[in-house]
Amino acid sequence: KPSGKKNTNPRTTRSSENQSSGAAMDPLAVLRDYAARGDLDKIIFNGDDVLFGDDYTFPANAPTAFTSKQSGRPYPLSAAVFLAQHNDLKHTDFLQAARLRRIPPVSLPDRKTFLDFLHFGDSSLPSAEPLLPSSFAQDAHPPPPPPPPENEEGEGPDADDASTAHVRALERPLKDRNAVLDARGRDFLAIYHAALRREEDRLRNKDAAPSATGRHEPSAAAAASLANPKLDKSLGDGFVPIILVPSASQTLITIYNVRDFLEDFVFVPSDEKMRAMKGSPKPECVTLQKKHVRGAGGPVAFEVRDKPASLKADDWARVVAVFVLGKEWQFKDWPFKGHVDIFNKVIGFFVRFEDDSVDSAKVVKQWNVKIISISKNKRHQDRPAALEVWDRLDEFVRARS
């Protein structure tokens, strides 16, 4: 099947040299030549043929050296011409227009490759363009080219050039520089979170001071202060209560987003807050204010911490609330006798998504904690949930005062 033929229109006058070269002309080379001259509008579809003005006629379904990255199949000439003439359309509009004309559309990943070739700036064949395949033969497995001829001595610059050309002719490009650098589908956020967890565990183990028995024993002052959970001072009189949150990243409320939830009444995922910090270190303590607390004369400040091991005896006396993770190890080395003792002296909250499974709160239901449910998508429901936390905390603080 010929790859191209001369147009027999009687109006056309061509030299015999051009006529003889047209029979073996690559349609992509002709298309790029027309694009360089700005004559793409002279290319028309005529039935099953594509007419390049009065110069050449090619079959519309003739396979080209422009192949699909996904399937490896060559695009027909009609697809290449249609993309060249309509590359200014948005891709969705381009797909719709191609389907209306019953022309195979060029996919989005292949679109840029072909347009780069089309506007490369010279009229060389696609084999000179490294981003396009170099085969235009019908055979799927063409025979290797013959070895390069050697000169009489078998050496010299000509022999080296011929050997290099022979090796390159046998090469088959698999990836280009853009494909090697493409990291789509790979997420490095999990690695960042794992590094943060390891650092938190290291600091927690460093701050902890276990006794000879392997268990943290509260000091005499801490034991005395915890034995009498009554608050020595009233809210608003310089007394700053402490709220503990888990240091684990898999909990909903952490030291990263606790201010957004309790002060601004909006739940923001912890990973979004971490990305917004752009590598800044995690805060040791967060101070937030509750504007209206019953029994206090004005706004009341609260400290939020996530490292219980760093608390001293006086600090434990100021702990009024804890957001629980639902894991037993969260309370390891706490100066309390057990869960009953903890939640008699500290009010507990467990924040969960409303559509989570029942098993996620199975352990928490055995503790004396308040379960707070929030929505994954309905942010207007965050305010009632946060206000419920403050109401429960106000009642608990008044009972201890």
Side-chain angles (χ1 to χ4, degrees), residues 329-357:
W329 54 261
Q330 181 182 0
F331 308 107
K332 182 181 179 181
D333 297 334
W334 282 34
F336 296 94
K337 297 180 180 179
H339 297 118
V340 176
D341 189 28
I342 292 175
F343 298 118
N344 280 340
K345 300 172 182 177
V346 177
I347 185 171
F349 298 100
F350 178 69
V351 181
R352 62 187 291 269
F353 287 127
E354 58 185 5
D355 55 351
D356 283 351
S357 63

Side-chain angles (χ1 to χ4, degrees), residues 79-108:
V81 172
F82 193 78
L83 175 59
Q85 293 178 330
H86 300 86
N87 62 81
D88 57 333
L89 295 177
K90 293 183 179 179
H91 191 64
T92 53
D93 298 336
F94 169 77
L95 294 178
Q96 184 176 5
R99 292 190 181 100
L100 290 176
R101 295 287 301 273
R102 296 185 178 180
I103 295 176
V106 177
S107 65
L108 185 59

Side-chain angles (χ1 to χ4, degrees), residues 272-292:
E272 292 186 12
K273 299 293 293 185
M274 293 167 63
R275 286 195 294 268
M277 294 176 64
K278 298 181 179 180
S280 300
K282 185 177 71 170
E284 297 289 335
C285 176
V286 172
T287 302
L288 54 88
Q289 285 193 344
K290 177 69 169 66
K291 295 183 179 180
H292 302 288

